[in-house]
């Protein structure tokens, strides 16, 4: 069956796979027909011819399921006007579309394509807007050609867009030349996607060298990005790659040997284990070890350090362990201070920075995330920066501070060290010249970093660097049920669970459906149980897992509907299964060093910078469907702009995973617990969740789940070589 007409509006579109539901204005008696299918190119106002079958949906009624479709040039002035105002071309809305068509009539599209400068004849179009229109019109036309050419290879709209941005007009040639190169060049394309494309490209056999090499490389990359390993033992790499490629292990063994011979892989023994590394990771771990040992050479002793005097000047009374930590840190080249909440780590930092300032020596405070740096500033009274900002990162040059342009400080203090991964540690040490003191502060019992490696634990386990472990909980901190329960969890004891008024409340609820409903109730402003009238800002829901009724994804859907429901004055943008709505709580879920942001400083000046990072939280401040942009106001005051094609960098953040919460602190943590996969329910995870709360933890669910998490110690350590490298230097 065939149907044709003009696209009236796009009802729904999944930009991941191009699935679209649209309303088509036809010449039939009914006037309109709902079409559904893979229609990534269809835009409002376009003439569409489609083939398919009539179906009946129990909820939405009669629909036309499309099997083939093509867009035709608009055949009337009204059709051209509708096409231009459909939101496809930036800078043109309904009013501007009407002015353009009134001026040029049926020649409009020909003029836009061949004589675009004539658009200046239209009132309201200046040179700046003209440039925007031309760029968007040409990009849309080029994208249309590329999408049509790449569609037979099973490439989605988003993937095709990224290929176009990377390769331009060579996109098709690059795909046909070597689909596995897409893994390295195109963000979001992994081995499985490239392998599926390769199956449609002539010349790529199952056991081709290109496929085997790509699969082995991806196995190592996946181990690094998904599990945090910096290498894999030889045997485990062969097994993992064999499962991925469904290929004989002997062939893979030969392929690994060939990659070692050509230098695309590196072999190093980690103790007695034959480890296979990606070359750049091996270089980074070795460089970190060498630099730490170099920096650990004790600086010249300073006879004027007087810890007792610093206590007096600050009005502090340090414990014996704190006094020892301050004294040793003042004279050490490299030192680690670790301890749980309430053990006085911040007091030690205050005392050390006071001593350095008093001696006229310089210091810098840094942390892995913006939220952690902000907390460090508030706690110490000294300015703290993210490590990226300290190293003056920008997307054009990378880290501006490096061995050729080092940081010039007598002391650098890094807090939340448990979050620092191998690449970030390597960048930091690369910028520290010999003679700089380095103090690493963190809680070794929290989860390892999101990125690869386990820097803090490896440094502690090596035995080559001095470590101060703080275990004493101070009187004021001991009055907090949050802190006492955190330490109980860390020691393998059940936390004190009660519903009485305190800063740690547990509510026993068994059915997951009721837990979900209770979470929703607690987050409603009128409830008041969480001690805040602004749940959207003050309450952070944390979950151990992504899937399931009490997983991050479903909790976000429920809480979005509760705290930021749909309304006519709230623009929306659909991306995959996620609805972004103006006013939403948002998280950045991948590092993007190119995003430009602006922030008004206290002096009234506007600061401009680049880079937003995995875990940054904010609010969807403005959503502009006309220009297809999202504006996110992050919690530290940065305002960043994204295009709709960057939507995969953002996610809703009414609920976030416990792992993603590292380095953050929230007034209130709401923690629903009701079972789940054993690997996700462990002591480290519970401990990290509880220690994210500043004023209150409200835990609800099963006591048995809490007990199970306390009993389960995460036994699976990451494959890392830093500890061994430190011992070998």
């Amino acid at each position: 069956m065939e149907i044709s007409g003009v696209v009236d509006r796009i009802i729904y579109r999944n930009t991941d796979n191009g699935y679209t539901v649209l309303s088509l204005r036809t010449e039939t008696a009914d006037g309109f027909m709902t079409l559904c299918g893979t229609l990534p190119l269809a835009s409002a106002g376009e003439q569409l011819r489609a083939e398919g079958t009539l179906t009946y949906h129990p909820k939405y009624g009669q629909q036309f399921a499309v099997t083939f479709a093509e867009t035709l040039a608009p055949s009337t002035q009204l059709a051209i006007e509708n096409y231009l105002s459909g939101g496809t071309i930036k800078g043109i809305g309904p009013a501007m579309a009407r002015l353009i068509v009134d001026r040029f009539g049926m020649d409009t599209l020909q003029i836009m394509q061949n004589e675009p400068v004539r658009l200046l004849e239209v009132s309201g179009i200046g040179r700046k807007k003209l440039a925007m229109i031309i760029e968007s019109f040409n990009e849309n036309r080029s994208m249309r050609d590329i999408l049509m050419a790449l569609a037979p290879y099973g490439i989605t709209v988003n993937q095709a867009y990224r290929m176009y941005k990377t390769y331009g007009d060579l996109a098709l040639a690059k795909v046909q030349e070597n689909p596995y190169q897409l893994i390295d060049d195109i963000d979001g394309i992994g081995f499985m996607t490239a392998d599926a494309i390769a199956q449609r490209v002539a010349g790529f056999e199952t056991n081709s060298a290109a496929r085997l090499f790509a699969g082995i490389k991806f196995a190592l990359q996946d181990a690094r990005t998904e599990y945090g390993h910096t290498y894999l033992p030889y045997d485990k790499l062969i097994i993992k790659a064999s499962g991925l490629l469904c290929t004989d292990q002997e062939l893979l063994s030969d392929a690994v040997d060939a990659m070692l011979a050509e230098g695309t892989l590196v072999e190093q023994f980690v103790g007695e284990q034959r480890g296979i590394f990606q070359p750049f990771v091996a270089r980074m771990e070795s460089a970190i070890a060498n630099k730490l040992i170099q920096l650990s050479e004790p600086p010249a002793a300073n006879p004027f350090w007087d810890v007792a005097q610093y206590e007096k000047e600050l009005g502090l009374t340090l414990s014996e362990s704190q006094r020892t930590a301050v004294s040793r840190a003042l004279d050490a080249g490299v030192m680690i201070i670790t301890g749980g909440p309430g053990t006085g780590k911040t007091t030690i930092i205050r005392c050390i920075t006071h001593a350095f300032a008093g001696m006229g020596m310089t210091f810098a405070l840094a942390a892995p995330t913006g939220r952690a740096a902000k907390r460090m500033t508030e706690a110490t009274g000294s300015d703290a920066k993210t490590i990226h900002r300290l190293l003056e990162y920008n997307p054009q040059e990378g880290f501006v501070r490096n061995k050729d342009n080092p940081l010039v400080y007598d002391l650098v203090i890094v807090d939340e060290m448990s979050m620092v991964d191998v690449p970030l540690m390597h960048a930091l040490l690369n910028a520290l010249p010999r003679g700089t003191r380095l103090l690493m502060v963190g809680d070794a019992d929290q989860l390892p970093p999101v990125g690869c490696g386990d820097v803090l634990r490896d440094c502690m386990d090596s035995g080559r660097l001095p470590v101060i472990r703080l275990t004493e909980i101070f009187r004021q901190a001991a009055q907090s049920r949050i802190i006492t329960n955190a330490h109980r969890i860390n020691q393998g004891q059940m936390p004190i669970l009660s519903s009485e008024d305190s800063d740690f409340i547990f509510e026993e609820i068994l059915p997951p459906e009721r837990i979900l409903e209770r979470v929703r109730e607690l987050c409603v402003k009128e409830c008041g149980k969480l001690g805040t009238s602004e749940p959207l800002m003050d309450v952070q829901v944390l979950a151990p897992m992504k899937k399931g009724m009490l997983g991050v994804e479903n909790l976000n859907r429920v809480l979005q509907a509760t705290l930021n429901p749909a309304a006519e004055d709230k623009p929306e943008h659909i991306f995959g299964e996620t609805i972004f709505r103006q006013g939403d709580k948002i998280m950045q879920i991948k590092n993007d060093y190119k995003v430009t942001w602006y922030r008004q400083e206290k002096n009234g000046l506007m600061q401009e910078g680049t880079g937003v990072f995995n875990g940054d939280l904010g609010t969807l401040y403005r959503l502009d469907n006309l220009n297809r942009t999202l504006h996110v106001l992050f919690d530290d005051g940065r305002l960043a702009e994204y295009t709709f094609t960057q939507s995969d960098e953002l996610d809703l953040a009414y609920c976030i995973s416990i792992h993603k919460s590292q380095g953050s602190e929230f007034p209130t943590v709401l923690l629903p617990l009701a079972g789940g996969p054993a690997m996700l329910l462990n002591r480290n995870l519970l401990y990290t969740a509880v220690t994210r709360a500043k004023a209150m933890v409200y835990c609800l669910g099963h006591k048995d789940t809490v007990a199970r998490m306390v009993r389960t110690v995460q036994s699976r350590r990451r494959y890392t070589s830093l500890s061994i490298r430190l011992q070998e230097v």
Side-chain angles (χ1 to χ4, degrees):
M1 181 177 178
E2 182 179 308
I3 190 172
S4 61
V6 176
V7 178
D8 180 60
R9 64 190 179 95
I10 304 299
I11 299 171
Y12 168 79
R13 171 167 288 148
N14 184 325
T15 52
D16 281 335
N17 56 26
Y19 181 81
T20 303
V21 180
L22 59 83
S23 175
L24 189 74
R25 188 166 59 246
T26 69
E27 296 179 359
T28 63
D30 295 336
F32 289 91
M33 176 64 73
T34 300
L35 273 62
C36 57
T38 304
L39 299 162
L41 302 175
S43 300
E46 288 186 317
Q47 186 80 24
L48 189 71
R49 185 183 74 82
E51 297 175 5
T53 57
L54 283 175
T55 62
Y56 185 83
H57 191 284
K59 182 175 181 180
Y60 300 110
Q62 184 171 271
Q63 296 181 332
F64 187 85
V66 177
T67 56
F68 169 82
E70 62 177 342
T71 54
L72 309 171
S75 57
T76 66
Q77 288 192 194
L78 179 60
I80 295 173
E81 184 181 320
N82 288 338
Y83 168 66
L84 293 180
S85 63
T88 304
I89 303 171
K90 289 183 180 179
I92 299 181
M96 182 58 67
R98 190 173 304 113
L99 289 173
I100 293 172
V101 175
D102 285 348
R103 178 71 182 84
F104 300 116
M106 291 301 297
D107 295 330
T108 295
L109 296 182
Q110 180 270 328
I111 286 171
M112 291 182 69
Q113 181 170 329
N114 301 315
E115 302 177 86
V117 72
R118 289 193 60 192
L119 291 175
L120 292 172
E121 299 172 18
V122 178
S123 175
I125 297 182
R127 294 201 173 272
K128 187 174 181 180
K129 177 167 279 193
L130 174 66
M132 179 194 300
I133 293 171
I134 291 174
E135 180 183 7
S136 183
F137 182 79
N138 289 337
E139 183 177 74
N140 186 57
R141 186 180 59 187
S142 297
M143 267 298 299
R144 181 181 298 278
D145 294 341
I146 284 180
L147 281 173
M148 292 178 69
L150 295 178
Y153 298 102
I155 295 169
T156 68
V157 179
N158 252 357
Q159 292 163 352
Y161 179 81
R162 293 180 187 279
M163 289 178 198
Y164 174 72
K165 285 295 185 184
T166 303
Y167 300 135
D169 293 338
L170 297 175
L172 180 60
K174 290 287 186 180
V175 168
Q176 293 172 336
E177 179 185 346
N178 183 4
Y180 297 105
Q181 187 61 38
L182 300 174
I183 301 170
D184 293 332
D185 295 348
I186 309 299
D187 187 30
I189 291 189
F191 176 80
M192 303 305 290
T193 300
D195 202 35
I197 294 170
Q199 291 174 22
R200 297 178 171 91
V201 177
F204 285 92
E205 302 296 330
T206 302
N207 291 329
S208 67
R211 183 172 187 267
L212 297 182
F213 284 18
I216 291 166
K217 187 176 178 181
F218 179 74
L220 270 180
Q221 179 181 312
D222 184 65
R224 174 172 57 86
T225 58
E226 294 300 317
Y227 302 99
H229 303 308
T230 59
Y231 75 94
L232 281 179
Y234 183 91
D235 292 342
K236 290 189 178 295
L237 173 59
I238 297 297
I239 292 170
K240 183 177 175 69
S242 178
L244 177 71
L245 295 163
C246 300
T247 302
D248 182 73
Q249 292 188 14
E250 189 173 336
L251 278 175
L252 288 168
S253 182
D254 292 341
V256 169
D257 291 342
M259 295 176 76
L260 290 170
E262 69 177 24
T264 51
L265 297 180
V266 169
E267 178 183 65
Q268 291 181 357
F269 277 84
V270 183
E272 299 298 317
Q273 205 167 59
R274 184 185 179 190
I276 306 298
F277 294 75
Q278 291 177 285
F280 74 96
V281 181
R283 287 195 298 269
M284 285 193 293
E285 282 198 308
S286 294
I288 289 170
N290 282 295
K291 191 58 175 282
L292 283 172
I293 296 302
Q294 182 190 98
L295 292 176
S296 67
E297 297 172 6
N302 189 330
F304 302 105
W305 298 131
D306 187 344
V307 178
Q309 179 64 27
Y310 305 143
E311 289 183 72
K312 184 177 178 181
E313 291 171 358
L314 290 169
L316 300 172
T317 302
L318 300 179
S319 69
E320 192 59 38
S321 61
Q322 286 179 309
R323 197 172 290 113
T324 299
V326 172
S327 180
R328 290 182 64 185
L330 291 174
D331 289 323
V334 174
M335 196 169 110
I336 298 167
I337 296 176
T338 184
T343 55
K345 297 189 296 294
T346 301
T347 300
I348 291 170
I349 294 174
R350 282 184 60 206
C351 198
I352 292 169
T353 54
H354 176 78
F356 269 72
M359 296 293 294
M361 300 172 76
T362 58
F363 61 88
L365 305 183
T369 68
R371 293 178 74 91
K374 184 179 179 182
R375 288 199 298 116
M376 199 179 185
T377 298
E378 293 168 349
T380 64
S382 299
D383 184 45
K385 300 177 180 179
T386 64
I387 298 175
H388 280 84
R389 193 174 170 202
L390 179 69
L391 299 179
E392 299 175 23
Y393 184 89
N394 72 62
Q396 287 74 39
E397 303 175 75
F399 292 104
V400 174
R401 294 291 184 174
N402 50 45
K403 64 181 179 181
D404 298 320
N405 181 29
L407 295 167
V408 186
Y409 294 102
D410 296 302
L411 168 69
V412 173
I413 302 177
V414 181
D415 198 8
E416 295 286 357
M417 264 301 300
S418 64
M419 296 181 64
V420 176
D421 60 17
V422 163
L424 189 56
M425 187 66 173
H426 178 260
L428 174 64
L429 293 178
N430 198 35
L432 299 187
R434 185 189 292 267
T436 305
R437 293 173 170 89
L438 175 64
L439 177 60
M440 296 180 276
V441 183
D443 186 346
D445 295 312
Q446 287 194 29
L447 294 168
V450 174
C452 70
D454 207 349
V455 173
L456 179 59
R457 289 175 185 80
D458 282 351
C459 288
M460 293 172 61
D461 292 346
S462 71
R464 293 296 304 275
L465 304 172
V467 179
I468 295 288
R469 298 176 186 270
L470 304 173
T471 57
E472 180 182 352
I473 306 175
F474 291 93
R475 185 181 305 168
Q476 185 175 355
Q479 296 172 359
S480 165
R481 183 72 63 80
I482 294 173
I483 291 177
T484 55
N485 273 345
H487 284 273
R488 288 177 67 88
I489 291 166
N490 200 29
Q491 294 160 11
Q493 303 173 22
M494 272 292 287
I496 300 168
L497 303 179
S498 69
S499 58
E500 64 187 38
D501 289 340
S502 76
D503 60 0
F504 191 110
I505 295 175
F506 181 81
E507 191 174 332
E508 177 85 15
I509 306 175
L510 297 181
E513 298 85 354
R514 178 58 189 136
I515 296 173
L516 181 65
E517 179 58 25
R518 185 60 175 150
V519 169
R520 195 194 68 78
E521 289 174 359
L522 287 167
C523 288
V524 175
K525 184 181 293 187
E526 289 76 11
C527 180
K529 287 282 287 183
L530 298 179
T532 176
S533 60
E534 295 292 339
L536 185 63
M537 300 301 297
D538 295 341
V539 177
Q540 184 59 60
V541 181
L542 302 181
M545 63 207 81
K546 291 183 179 179
K547 304 294 182 181
M549 184 175 293
L550 296 177
V552 172
E553 294 174 358
N554 190 54
L555 279 163
N556 267 321
R557 282 191 287 269
V558 171
L559 292 173
Q560 181 190 47
T562 301
L563 298 171
N564 189 33
E568 288 186 6
D569 61 343
K570 294 179 184 177
E572 294 182 354
H573 163 56
I574 298 173
F575 178 77
E577 300 300 320
T578 302
I579 298 174
F580 289 107
R581 185 174 296 138
Q582 189 164 293
D584 276 336
K585 197 171 184 177
I586 293 291
M587 171 179 271
Q588 178 80 15
I589 58 173
K590 60 174 71 173
N591 291 338
D592 188 331
Y593 303 110
K594 298 181 180 180
V595 170
T596 301
W597 53 260
Y598 300 89
R599 175 170 55 201
Q600 187 165 5
E601 301 294 336
K602 292 179 181 178
N603 58 12
L605 297 176
M606 189 66 70
Q607 181 189 3
E608 179 180 350
T610 56
V612 288
F613 306 105
N614 192 353
D616 287 353
L617 290 165
T619 303
L620 184 47
Y621 179 74
R622 183 166 178 253
L623 197 159
D624 186 342
N625 277 308
L626 176 61
N627 293 305
R628 301 175 65 78
T629 56
L630 303 152
H631 300 256
V632 178
L633 180 63
F634 288 102
D635 290 352
D636 60 0
R638 292 171 299 157
L639 182 63
E641 180 181 316
Y642 300 76
T643 65
F644 278 6
T645 57
Q646 295 171 290
S647 299
D648 62 336
E649 297 183 14
L650 303 171
D651 205 353
L652 299 178
Y654 299 97
C655 176
I656 63 177
S657 69
I658 296 171
H659 219 136
K660 288 282 190 183
S661 73
Q662 281 182 276
S664 298
E665 189 176 71
F666 311 101
T668 297
V669 164
L670 184 55
L671 187 59
L673 297 172
M679 64 179 294
L680 295 177
L681 299 178
N682 59 65
R683 187 184 301 172
N684 286 91
L685 204 70
L686 181 60
Y687 175 76
T688 299
V690 169
T691 54
R692 299 308 88 209
K694 185 176 182 180
M696 175 180 281
V697 171
Y698 203 109
C699 185
L700 60 161
H702 301 185
K703 285 183 181 178
D704 288 346
T705 301
V706 176
R708 196 167 114 208
M709 295 181 79
V710 171
R711 289 194 305 268
T712 305
V713 179
Q714 190 174 23
S715 57
R716 189 182 69 184
R717 285 294 298 269
R718 296 179 171 187
Y719 290 114
T720 63
S721 72
L722 179 57
S723 180
I724 295 294
R725 300 287 165 252
L726 282 164
Q727 295 169 24
E728 291 174 344
V729 174

